[in-house]
Amino acid sequence: MPYVVTRSCCADASCVLACPVNCIHPAPGEPGFATAEMLYVDPLTCVDCGACTTACPVDALKPHTALTGAELPFLELNATYYKENPHADRAPMYVVPRRRALPAGELSVAVVGAGPAGLFAADELLRHPGVRVTVHDRLPTPYGLARAGVAPDHQDTKQVTRLFRTIESQPGFSYRLGVEVGTHLTHGDLLREHHAVIYAVGAATDKRLGIEGEDLRGSASATDFVAWYNGHPDRAHDEYDLDTERAVVIGNGNVALDVARILTADPDVLARTDISDRALAALRGSKIREVVLLGRRGPAQAAFTLPELLALSALKDVDVVVEGWPEDLDPSATDKTRLLSQLAARTPVEGRRRIVLRFLTGPVRITGDTSVRALEVTATALDTDEDGTVRALPTGDTRTLETGLVLRSVGYRARPVPGLPFDEDTATVPHEGGRVGVGVYVAGWIKRGPTGFIGTNKTCAHETVESLLDDFAAGRLAQPVRSGVGTATDALGVDAWHAIDRAERAAGEAQGRPRVKFTDTGSLHRAARAVPAARG
């Protein structure tokens, strides 16, 4: 009875370490681990001990007899990986990261950004004795996209926050939440108070299309739309007109799939999640029956991951339609194209809501007087550059899609960090191994661009922390001045965040939901004041 990985990896690698027969790959240190969508269990080597399930912090592993119908494809997916990537000749490569013998005295580090990248960086630092980490974030709540980016119908993915709670409980960890660098304190303040600063501020904005009509009412970014339905304080009170039968999402990455699922989901099912109450009310009144996802390139270049496509294919009451298949593409080329070809062969059911994955189609212009009325699109043809890059070229064959809602989902983009260099082309801070300069470091999307998954941030943070610790061991970091910078602000600590968490969970329990989120800073601060004082 082999165990099976059933979702994208958190990169904690506890399962790899726990496995007594080395049957979970790719492992840290092996090719592909840092960029893997998920890990895989070798069904021929697995001895059914269950150690991996005990170790996994996000319940991603199950015995094959416990798989739901929607999860059954993962059984074949795990087995196929080992047919294509045999590991029989490989000895275990993963070892517990060594603890450094740091110079005498305490190492104090400020981390800016309490999302996955920042918390993984804190975790890597706190593995070594004598380290203090203070994590700053402008919001009163931590976890970044794990809280405000993961779709509410993906509660299993949100279990990564268990890892974050463990990190918060470590000696030497503290929060300063509700504190914005550049407003409440400066980059210079942080450097005076700490030996080093790690910026893990993510990519807070989105790329634009650069087409006519992009600023009409009803045209918005998927980034903002996701923040709206997740109750992010910046966007929770936005308004979207869902009085249209068709919505169009430009892009076909995982975020685009999330948006399509939420727009076509049964509101009664969403009501059992932590979706924003305001968004839920709007979705109950929605007239949307079809969501079209546009991809300039073909199925083989689709940006979504295989686990997310598998989740989409398992939807019960929503049809998934595939359009724009290149004539020369072999459906069996990859696992992704095989699944897409199976979806393309399905017969839609009359009257169901549907999600259309339309490939080889690009946007031309959005039309309407003051609000979106239609989107003009063009067919595209694929061309391969000498370096192997596949590009989509417009053919001039245009058509019009009537719609009242257009959401662009073509990628996140980071903002410049005051006091740090910035590459406008890549929207990242230039660095070497995470080191911007002595005492200043980056991790996450501001370091590498908006690529990878939640777990990718762990490998990224490890590299950055190694650079920081090298500098500390070599005596290159300046001694901090214990000035108490930022103590005059209304900063929230670990205990205050846990008070918010308890209050949200209690409100959710009363409604049969995981939590009911507070979506404005006033409510969040009132919940935080339920504790006498905030630690950290």
Side-chain angles (χ1 to χ4, degrees):
M1 184 178 72
Y3 280 74
V4 182
V5 179
T6 61
R7 68 177 68 106
S8 296
C9 184
C10 69
D12 179 68
S14 296
C15 60
V16 177
L17 184 62
C19 179
V21 293
N22 188 34
C23 74
I24 304 177
H25 297 276
E30 292 180 341
F33 174 79
T35 57
E37 293 181 0
M38 57 185 285
L39 302 188
Y40 306 87
V41 176
D42 185 352
L44 299 180
T45 308
C46 178
V47 294
D48 187 26
C49 68
C52 57
T53 59
T54 303
C56 179
V58 295
D59 297 337
L61 290 114
K62 293 184 178 181
H64 82 271
T65 53
L67 298 176
T68 66
E71 293 169 336
L72 283 174
F74 284 99
L75 183 61
E76 181 181 353
L77 190 62
N78 277 247
T80 300
Y81 172 81
Y82 287 92
K83 293 175 183 177
E84 299 174 352
N85 303 274
H87 282 259
D89 58 338
R90 297 191 185 185
M93 299 180 67
Y94 181 48
V95 295
V96 177
R98 65 187 176 94
R99 299 176 102 196
R100 293 235 193 175
L102 300 176
E106 191 176 67
L107 169 61
S108 175
V109 180
V111 175
V112 182
L119 289 171
F120 280 132
D123 187 38
E124 291 292 328
L125 285 161
L126 293 169
R127 293 177 186 274
H128 310 281
V131 180
R132 282 191 313 116
V133 179
T134 304
V135 178
H136 301 70
D137 201 282
R138 70 179 184 87
L139 293 178
T141 56
Y143 304 167
L145 288 179
R147 175 180 168 95
V150 175
D153 63 340
H154 273 15
Q155 291 296 311
D156 52 356
T157 303
K158 295 191 178 191
Q159 291 184 57
V160 72
T161 58
R162 295 180 186 176
L163 274 175
F164 302 156
R165 288 295 292 260
T166 301
I167 295 168
E168 293 167 354
S169 69
Q170 296 182 63
F173 181 96
S174 62
Y175 275 136
R176 280 184 185 166
L177 301 174
V179 173
E180 185 170 13
V181 177
T183 300
H184 301 102
L185 71 172
T186 67
H187 172 63
D189 292 333
L190 292 174
L191 284 176
R192 283 189 293 274
E193 193 178 4
H194 303 275
H195 289 91
V197 183
I198 298 176
Y199 284 91
V201 294
T205 60
D206 62 283
K207 296 179 181 177
R208 290 179 62 84
L209 299 170
I211 62 174
E212 182 183 336
E214 190 170 7
D215 294 319
L216 288 172
R217 188 169 64 248
S219 169
S221 75
T223 305
D224 289 347
F225 190 77
V226 168
W228 170 71
Y229 64 60
N230 272 319
H232 190 294
D234 289 351
R235 293 294 175 187
H237 300 283
D238 288 354
E239 294 185 359
Y240 290 91
D241 185 0
L242 306 182
D243 188 23
T244 179
E245 291 197 356
R246 176 188 289 133
V248 180
V249 182
I250 300 172
N252 58 19
N254 286 347
V255 173
L257 264 59
D258 286 347
V259 168
R261 285 198 325 276
I262 297 302
L263 283 171
T264 55
D266 181 347
D268 288 338
V269 173
L270 292 177
R272 299 193 292 270
T273 73
D274 61 351
I275 191 170
S276 156
D277 286 344
R278 187 181 182 91
L280 179 62
L283 289 165
R284 286 193 182 282
S286 171
K287 293 184 179 179
I288 293 174
R289 305 297 302 171
E290 177 182 87
V291 181
V292 180
L293 275 64
L294 299 184
R296 295 176 186 268
R297 298 187 296 173
Q301 295 80 38
F304 49 70
T305 61
L306 186 58
E308 289 301 315
L309 182 61
L310 281 166
L312 195 73
S313 70
L315 294 178
K316 297 294 185 184
D317 300 316
V318 178
D319 284 324
V320 180
V321 179
V322 178
E323 298 179 352
W325 193 277
E327 294 181 359
D328 59 348
L329 177 60
D330 179 3
S332 63
T334 65
D335 289 332
K336 191 182 295 184
T337 55
R338 278 193 290 270
L339 180 54
L340 284 169
S341 67
Q342 293 168 13
L343 290 171
R346 291 182 181 179
T347 301
V349 177
E350 185 70 27
R352 277 187 180 175
R353 292 182 180 182
R354 66 182 205 158
I355 296 171
V356 180
L357 304 178
R358 180 171 295 173
F359 298 99
L360 300 180
T361 306
V364 176
R365 65 178 58 85
I366 302 170
T367 60
D369 296 328
T370 58
S371 300
V372 173
R373 291 291 176 265
L375 173 68
E376 185 178 326
V377 300
T378 180
T380 61
L382 300 183
D383 183 59
T384 305
D385 293 346
E386 292 183 0
D387 62 359
T389 302
V390 178
R391 302 190 182 279
L393 305 177
T395 64
D397 179 11
T398 62
R399 59 172 297 185
T400 298
L401 298 176
E402 292 185 2
T403 179
L405 180 65
V406 175
L407 300 172
R408 62 182 181 275
S409 183
V410 292
Y412 292 91
R413 182 177 173 84
R415 297 190 183 105
V417 178
L420 273 61
F422 190 73
D423 186 326
E424 288 288 348
D425 292 335
T426 62
T428 59
V429 171
H431 65 92
E432 291 186 10
R435 181 189 294 108
V436 182
V438 175
V440 182
Y441 308 84
V442 286
W445 283 357
I446 191 65
K447 170 186 173 184
R448 68 179 190 273
T451 60
F453 323 102
I454 289 177
T456 311
N457 291 295
K458 188 173 180 66
T459 305
C460 175
H462 176 76
E463 179 190 52
T464 295
V465 169
E466 285 296 298
S467 295
L468 187 157
L469 294 177
D470 285 344
D471 288 344
F472 183 59
R476 289 191 285 264
L477 302 183
Q479 286 295 318
V481 177
R482 298 284 189 256
S483 61
V485 171
T487 55
T489 68
D490 191 18
L492 304 180
V494 173
D495 291 339
W497 153 237
H498 288 174
I500 294 170
D501 185 49
R502 285 193 301 272
E504 289 186 337
R505 289 181 182 278
E509 186 177 1
Q511 300 180 27
R513 303 170 64 183
R515 70 173 66 237
V516 174
K517 289 179 181 175
F518 301 128
T519 59
D520 63 87
T521 55
S523 297
L524 289 163
H525 278 274
R526 284 191 292 274
R529 287 196 291 271
V531 294
R535 176 169 63 87

